[in-house]
Amino acid sequence: EYRNFAELGAATLLRLGLETNAVQAVPAPKVRLDRTFASALALKSWLGSHGVTETNFNIISLGPHARRSRLLYEKALGSDYKVGAIAVGNQEYDTQQWWTSSAGVRTITDETIAYVYTRLWSP
Protein backbone atom coordinates (compact mmCIF):
# COMPACT_ATOMS: atom_id res chain seq x y z
CA GLU A 1 0.00 0.00 0.00
CA TYR A 2 2.93 2.35 0.71
CA ARG A 3 6.01 2.80 -1.46
CA ASN A 4 8.41 3.35 1.44
CA PHE A 5 8.71 3.59 5.21
CA ALA A 6 8.38 7.39 5.13
CA GLU A 7 4.90 7.13 3.61
CA LEU A 8 3.94 4.37 6.03
CA GLY A 9 5.13 6.45 8.97
CA ALA A 10 3.29 9.54 7.79
CA ALA A 11 0.09 7.58 7.27
CA THR A 12 0.40 6.08 10.74
CA LEU A 13 0.86 9.51 12.34
CA LEU A 14 -2.17 10.85 10.47
CA ARG A 15 -4.27 7.87 11.65
CA LEU A 16 -3.12 8.64 15.20
CA GLY A 17 -4.58 12.13 14.88
CA LEU A 18 -1.80 14.47 13.82
CA GLU A 19 -2.84 17.28 11.50
CA THR A 20 -1.83 16.97 7.85
CA ASN A 21 0.21 20.19 8.03
CA ALA A 22 2.30 18.64 10.85
CA VAL A 23 3.37 15.55 8.88
CA GLN A 24 5.67 15.34 5.89
CA ALA A 25 6.98 12.08 4.42
CA VAL A 26 10.60 12.45 3.33
CA PRO A 27 11.65 9.18 1.70
CA ALA A 28 15.30 8.20 1.51
CA PRO A 29 16.89 6.33 -1.36
CA LYS A 30 16.96 2.56 -1.02
CA VAL A 31 20.26 1.46 0.49
CA ARG A 32 21.45 -1.83 1.93
CA LEU A 33 23.50 -0.33 4.76
CA ASP A 34 23.20 2.78 6.92
CA ARG A 35 19.49 3.25 6.28
CA THR A 36 19.03 5.63 9.20
CA PHE A 37 21.94 7.81 8.08
CA ALA A 38 20.55 7.84 4.53
CA SER A 39 17.20 8.95 5.95
CA ALA A 40 18.88 11.76 7.86
CA LEU A 41 20.73 12.94 4.73
CA ALA A 42 17.45 12.87 2.79
CA LEU A 43 15.87 15.04 5.48
CA LYS A 44 18.78 17.49 5.34
CA SER A 45 18.40 17.76 1.58
CA TRP A 46 14.63 18.19 1.85
CA LEU A 47 14.98 20.90 4.50
CA GLY A 48 17.43 22.83 2.33
CA SER A 49 15.37 22.54 -0.83
CA HIS A 50 12.15 23.63 0.92
CA GLY A 51 13.59 26.58 2.83
CA VAL A 52 12.70 25.17 6.25
CA THR A 53 14.35 27.24 8.96
CA GLU A 54 13.30 25.15 11.97
CA THR A 55 16.39 23.74 13.66
CA ASN A 56 14.85 21.69 16.48
CA PHE A 57 13.58 18.19 15.65
CA ASN A 58 12.40 15.08 17.41
CA ILE A 59 12.74 11.72 15.76
CA ILE A 60 10.60 8.74 16.69
CA SER A 61 12.24 5.33 16.70
CA LEU A 62 11.75 1.89 18.17
CA GLY A 63 13.12 1.36 21.67
CA PRO A 64 16.89 1.35 22.07
CA HIS A 65 17.41 2.20 18.39
CA ALA A 66 16.27 5.76 19.21
CA ARG A 67 19.58 6.68 20.84
CA ARG A 68 21.60 5.63 17.78
CA SER A 69 19.08 7.24 15.42
CA ARG A 70 19.45 10.51 17.28
CA LEU A 71 23.23 10.31 17.01
CA LEU A 72 23.08 9.58 13.27
CA TYR A 73 20.69 12.47 12.65
CA GLU A 74 22.97 14.79 14.62
CA LYS A 75 25.94 13.70 12.49
CA ALA A 76 24.04 14.09 9.22
CA LEU A 77 22.35 17.40 10.00
CA GLY A 78 25.32 19.07 11.66
CA SER A 79 25.72 21.32 14.66
CA ASP A 80 23.14 23.88 13.51
CA TYR A 81 20.37 21.43 14.43
CA LYS A 82 19.19 20.18 17.80
CA VAL A 83 17.84 16.64 17.59
CA GLY A 84 15.75 14.91 20.23
CA ALA A 85 14.52 11.33 20.27
CA ILE A 86 11.27 9.70 21.27
CA ALA A 87 11.59 5.98 21.90
CA VAL A 88 8.50 3.89 21.19
CA GLY A 89 8.24 0.73 23.31
CA ASN A 90 9.05 -2.59 21.71
CA GLN A 91 6.16 -5.07 21.84
CA GLU A 92 8.45 -8.11 21.44
CA TYR A 93 9.67 -8.04 25.03
CA ASP A 94 9.13 -6.34 28.38
CA THR A 95 11.32 -3.24 28.09
CA GLN A 96 11.51 -2.92 31.88
CA GLN A 97 12.99 -6.45 32.14
CA TRP A 98 14.63 -6.85 28.72
CA TRP A 99 17.22 -9.30 30.10
CA THR A 100 14.52 -11.90 30.75
CA SER A 101 13.92 -12.63 27.06
CA SER A 102 16.20 -13.58 24.20
CA ALA A 103 14.63 -10.87 22.00
CA GLY A 104 15.41 -8.26 24.63
CA VAL A 105 19.00 -9.42 25.12
CA ARG A 106 19.62 -9.56 21.37
CA THR A 107 18.14 -6.13 20.78
CA ILE A 108 20.02 -4.42 23.60
CA THR A 109 23.29 -6.17 22.74
CA ASP A 110 23.01 -5.38 19.03
CA GLU A 111 22.06 -1.75 19.63
CA THR A 112 24.84 -1.25 22.18
CA ILE A 113 27.45 -2.56 19.74
CA ALA A 114 25.96 -0.51 16.89
CA TYR A 115 25.87 2.64 19.03
CA VAL A 116 29.55 2.29 19.98
CA TYR A 117 30.44 1.67 16.33
CA THR A 118 28.44 4.73 15.27
CA ARG A 119 29.98 6.90 17.98
CA LEU A 120 33.55 5.89 17.10
CA TRP A 121 33.65 5.18 13.38
CA SER A 122 30.57 6.42 11.57
CA PRO A 123 30.74 9.63 9.46
Side-chain angles (χ1 to χ4, degrees), residues 16-112:
L16 291 172
L18 267 69
E19 299 292 326
T20 57
N21 64 345
V23 177
Q24 175 63 51
V26 180
K30 290 184 179 182
V31 295
R32 288 183 47 141
L33 299 172
D34 301 322
R35 290 183 309 272
T36 301
F37 192 69
S39 294
L41 290 175
L43 176 62
K44 183 177 184 177
S45 176
W46 187 90
L47 293 171
S49 66
H50 286 81
V52 177
T53 58
E54 179 63 46
T55 59
N56 296 326
F57 295 94
N58 285 319
I59 57 166
I60 300 171
S61 188
L62 184 62
H65 182 63
R67 183 178 305 263
R68 183 164 51 107
S69 294
R70 182 177 154 266
L71 176 59
L72 288 163
Y73 271 77
E74 286 175 340
K75 288 183 174 211
L77 294 173
S79 61
D80 292 339
Y81 294 89
K82 302 294 181 222
V83 181
I86 299 170
V88 177
N90 193 327
Q91 302 296 315
E92 292 183 17
Y93 59 89
D94 180 355
T95 58
Q96 298 300 310
Q97 295 183 333
W98 57 266
W99 59 91
T100 62
S101 73
S102 63
V105 170
R106 282 193 315 273
T107 299
I108 298 298
T109 301
D110 290 350
E111 283 300 326
T112 300

